[in-house]
């Protein structure tokens, strides 16, 4: 579209419009998924993404291009959010971290795939086609994935939830009671929980505000450093691939540490280390000669590694801090702030071309570094969620971290005590006796469901 010279800022505007679509998608999808279900919301976003992304490849108008990119942004944000929340709600406590990080690893593989394809296909129309048409395969998800049992239970659709849970039990070799639910798995107050009620809980509102800022800072740095890769010394394709590679390294670090050290400590460390690396680039830019500019690239990669890890952790951390009945809506709220950070990131990355001096080259990474350090320090006020049950109600979420017993609601206690996920070896040891049941049942991969009255009596005995 000849976006050069006096029109070069149009590139930043186009990126900002895309991020605006991501923002709208984050707001809308959360509410829609909490209303019509995770699976239906996911399929709607897949349809929207396929139509808009493929349409972009055939447009010859810049105005139509940005409109379709805006719609693509809505669908991509909604698709990722729906997949992430659905995955988190389909697995038990011991698998949540793995699922959350695995989603992000495949995101990074997609980024590296994009860089490799872009190197060989230099025409953007053909590149868009090569990347968009495979999205049609996502329609097979309708037959491959179930609805979230947690969402079904919250909506009073116990029979549908039981079908999914019993299927998961057969796959995992778990014995479940004949009567799985007692008809009062979630009370009416639980089902009618309102998002506005958060404003009556100052303690939880503060946590939400901290999470919102962390999402904003992490997203701004995550996207901004990728956009800024063109301003770094060296080959733009190599720099872009390196940015994708360090993301995968970051996620592997998360897999190794999150279940051992905890979400809170690892997140804070990643934010501060990544931010510190970005801030350090100012000394290289101002005082080092050209032969040492490679250090600038290394520091930027460390910053991207920290931002990628922090962005992945904050997804898991937030989902574990939010109650089930409001999880998708609240994930939409924090994603809104992430998209605001993404909308700002193109302009922060372009500050180096606006301020024409050595200091101007250092401004983007300085802004990125300061923002993430502040976010990391604020997280000191948040509770740890490692080995805690997912909060079901707002009261559960408010009380999270208040005591060492990690108490939860009565519904959650029944859910986690009755049906839990076991390994293949442990499943062989199950017997029909109460002792065998209690001695071998561990954590469930099908979402900590509510125990029936019969199971509760068995557990009590």
């Amino acid at each position: 579209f000849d976006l050069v010279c006096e029109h070069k800022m149009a590139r930043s505007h186009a990126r900002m419009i895309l991020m605006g679509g991501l923002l709208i998608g984050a707001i809308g999808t959360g509410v829609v998924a909490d209303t019509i279900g995770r699976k239906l919301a996911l399929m709607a976003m897949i349809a929207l993404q396929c139509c808009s992304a493929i349409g972009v490849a055939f447009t010859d108008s810049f105005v139509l291009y940005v409109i379709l990119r805006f719609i693509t942004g809505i669908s991509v944000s909604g698709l990722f959010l729906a997949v992430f929340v659905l995955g988190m709600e389909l697995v038990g406590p011991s698998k949540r971290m793995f699922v959350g990080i695995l989603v992000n690893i495949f995101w990074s593989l997609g980024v590296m795939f994009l860089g490799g394809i872009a190197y060989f296909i230099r025409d953007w129309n053909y590149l868009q086609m090569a990347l968009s048409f495979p999205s049609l395969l996502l329609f097979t998800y309708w037959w491959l994935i179930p609805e979230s049992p947690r969402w079904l239970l919250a909506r009073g659709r116990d029979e549908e939830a039981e079908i999914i849970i019993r299927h998961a039990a057969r796959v995992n070799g778990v014995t479940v009671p004949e009567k799985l639910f007692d008809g009062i798995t979630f009370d009416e107050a639980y089902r009618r929980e309102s998002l506005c009620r958060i404003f009556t809980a100052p303690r939880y509102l503060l946590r939400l505000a901290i999470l919102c800022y962390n999402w904003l800072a992490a997203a701004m740095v995550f996207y901004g450093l990728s956009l800024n890769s063109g301003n770094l010394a060296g080959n733009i394709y190599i720099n872009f691939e390196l940015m994708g590679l360090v993301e995968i390294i970051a996620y592997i670090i998360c897999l190794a540490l999150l279940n051992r050290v905890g979400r809170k400590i690892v997140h804070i460390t990643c934010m501060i280390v990544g931010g510190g690396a970005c801030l350090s680039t100012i000394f290289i830019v101002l005082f080092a000669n050209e032969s040492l500019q490679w250090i600038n690239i290394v520091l930027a990669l460390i910053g991207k590694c920290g931002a990628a890890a922090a962005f992945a952790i904050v997804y898991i951390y937030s989902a574990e801090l939010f109650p089930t009945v409001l999880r998708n809506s609240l994930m939409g709220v924090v994603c809104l702030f992430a998209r605001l950070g993404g909308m700002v990131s193109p302009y922060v990355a372009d500050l180096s071309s606006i301020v024409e001096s050595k200091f101007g080259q250092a401004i983007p990474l300085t802004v990125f570094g300061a923002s993430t350090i502040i976010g990391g320090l604020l997280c000191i006020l948040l509770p740890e969620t490692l080995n805690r049950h997912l909060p079901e109600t707002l009261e559960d979420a408010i009380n999270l971290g208040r005591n060492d017993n990690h108490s939860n609601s009565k519904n959650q206690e029944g859910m986690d005590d009755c049906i839990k996920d076991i390994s293949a070896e442990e499943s062989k040891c199950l017997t029909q006796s109460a002792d065998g049941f209690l001695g071998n049942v561990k954590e469930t991969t099908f979402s900590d469901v509510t125990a029936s009255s019969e199971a509760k009596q068995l557990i009590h005995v």
Side-chain angles (χ1 to χ4, degrees):
F1 299 110
D2 295 323
L3 304 181
V4 295
C5 300
E6 68 271 15
H7 301 298
K8 66 180 182 181
M9 284 303 293
R11 293 177 296 179
S12 294
H13 299 332
R15 292 167 181 166
M16 185 271 291
I17 291 171
L18 172 65
M19 294 297 175
L22 295 174
L23 183 151
I24 299 300
I27 299 172
T29 306
V31 176
V32 170
D34 278 342
T35 304
I36 68 173
R38 289 24 171 167
K39 185 175 179 178
L40 278 178
L42 173 62
M43 299 310 299
M45 292 300 105
I46 288 173
L48 192 62
Q49 198 259 344
C50 288
C51 294
S52 59
I54 293 173
V56 166
F58 298 95
T59 182
D60 57 0
S61 164
F62 181 70
V63 174
L64 183 58
Y65 169 82
V66 295
I67 291 174
L68 289 174
R69 289 287 282 171
F70 178 79
I71 298 173
T72 300
I74 294 175
S75 63
V76 169
S77 177
L79 197 157
F80 190 89
L81 181 61
V83 165
F84 186 87
V85 172
L86 181 58
M88 294 288 283
E89 292 185 345
L90 282 173
V91 300
S94 68
K95 307 297 189 299
R96 286 201 303 261
M97 183 274 292
F98 177 78
V99 169
I101 297 300
L102 190 64
V103 170
N104 287 283
I105 287 177
F106 276 89
W107 169 281
S108 299
L109 289 174
V111 169
M112 297 187 70
F113 184 76
L114 165 62
I117 295 297
Y119 180 81
F120 293 103
I121 304 178
R122 301 298 176 96
D123 183 279
W124 76 268
N125 298 89
Y126 292 117
L127 175 63
Q128 183 71 22
M129 291 182 203
L131 298 172
S132 300
F133 278 109
S135 298
L136 294 171
L137 295 174
L138 296 176
F139 283 107
T140 60
Y141 278 20
W142 179 259
W143 296 279
L144 296 177
I145 60 173
E147 180 57 270
S148 166
R150 284 183 177 273
W151 181 83
L152 291 171
L153 289 172
R155 292 290 167 176
R157 294 160 63 175
D158 296 0
E159 292 182 1
E160 296 173 62
E162 183 171 346
I163 292 172
I164 296 171
I165 291 165
R166 290 192 181 279
H167 174 71
R170 287 194 300 272
V171 171
N172 288 281
V174 178
T175 301
V176 295
E178 183 178 345
K179 183 180 180 183
L180 198 57
F181 305 117
D182 57 12
I184 50 171
T185 53
F186 291 92
D187 59 32
E188 291 302 315
Y190 175 87
R191 293 172 183 166
R192 293 197 302 265
E193 194 81 87
S194 170
L195 187 62
C196 296
R197 190 160 167 256
I198 289 176
F199 294 98
T200 65
R203 177 190 180 92
Y204 196 73
L205 198 58
L206 174 63
R207 291 180 185 175
L208 181 60
I210 293 172
L211 287 172
C212 287
Y213 178 81
N214 270 263
W215 277 75
L216 186 149
M220 181 177 69
V221 178
F222 181 84
Y223 293 115
L225 286 174
S226 295
L227 296 173
N228 193 56
S229 60
N231 298 325
L232 298 174
N235 185 286
I236 185 174
Y237 293 100
I238 294 176
N239 289 342
F240 189 82
E241 289 295 287
L242 288 174
M243 289 289 180
L245 180 61
V246 296
E247 285 184 36
I248 295 178
I249 294 173
Y251 302 143
I252 292 173
I253 292 172
C254 290
L255 283 174
L257 296 180
L258 282 183
N259 276 351
R260 292 180 173 86
V261 181
R263 282 64 159 143
K264 179 178 176 179
I265 297 298
V266 179
H267 178 72
I268 292 173
T269 302
C270 290
M271 291 286 279
I272 293 177
V273 170
C278 290
L279 280 178
S280 299
T281 59
I282 191 171
F283 301 106
I284 306 300
V285 172
L286 295 180
F287 305 113
N289 55 38
E290 289 295 325
S291 64
L292 295 177
Q293 289 305 307
W294 62 270
I295 300 178
N296 209 23
I297 298 177
V298 172
L299 290 172
L301 291 175
I302 295 173
K304 181 60 181 290
C305 185
F311 206 4
I313 296 167
V314 81
Y315 259 101
I316 300 171
Y317 200 16
S318 299
E320 293 179 340
L321 285 170
F322 295 153
T324 295
V325 73
L326 295 175
R327 186 168 294 117
N328 240 95
S329 296
L330 288 174
M331 287 296 287
V333 171
V334 291
C335 278
L336 182 154
F337 282 86
R339 304 318 164 197
L340 287 175
M343 292 174 70
V344 172
S345 63
Y347 297 100
V348 176
D350 282 345
L351 286 175
S352 58
S353 61
I354 297 174
V355 182
E356 297 180 355
S357 64
K358 280 193 171 183
F359 181 71
Q361 297 176 26
I363 288 179
L365 291 173
T366 302
V367 173
F368 294 148
S371 302
T372 52
I373 289 175
I374 293 172
L377 294 175
L378 285 173
C379 284
I380 295 173
L381 301 175
L382 298 177
E384 178 57 74
T385 59
L386 178 63
N387 296 326
R388 268 73 161 184
H389 300 306
L390 285 179
E392 296 296 333
T393 65
L394 183 57
E395 285 73 19
D396 293 338
I398 293 171
N399 293 328
L400 188 65
R402 279 190 171 178
N403 55 57
D404 295 327
N405 295 323
H406 316 319
S407 61
N408 212 327
S409 67
K410 292 181 180 179
N411 287 326
Q412 181 70 51
E413 288 174 1
M415 291 161 72
D416 291 319
D417 287 336
C418 172
I419 304 175
K420 299 196 169 173
D421 178 25
I422 62 174
S423 67
E425 264 182 39
E426 290 168 322
S427 66
K428 296 177 183 177
C429 302
L430 284 174
T431 68
Q432 297 301 318
S433 66
D435 289 340
F437 180 83
L438 294 175
N440 294 288
V441 174
K442 303 287 182 189
E443 295 168 336
T444 119
T445 58
F446 44 86
S447 253
D448 314 326
V449 293
T450 305
S452 66
S453 298
E454 177 183 326
K456 289 178 182 176
Q457 292 171 5
L458 176 62
I459 291 167
H460 179 69
V461 172

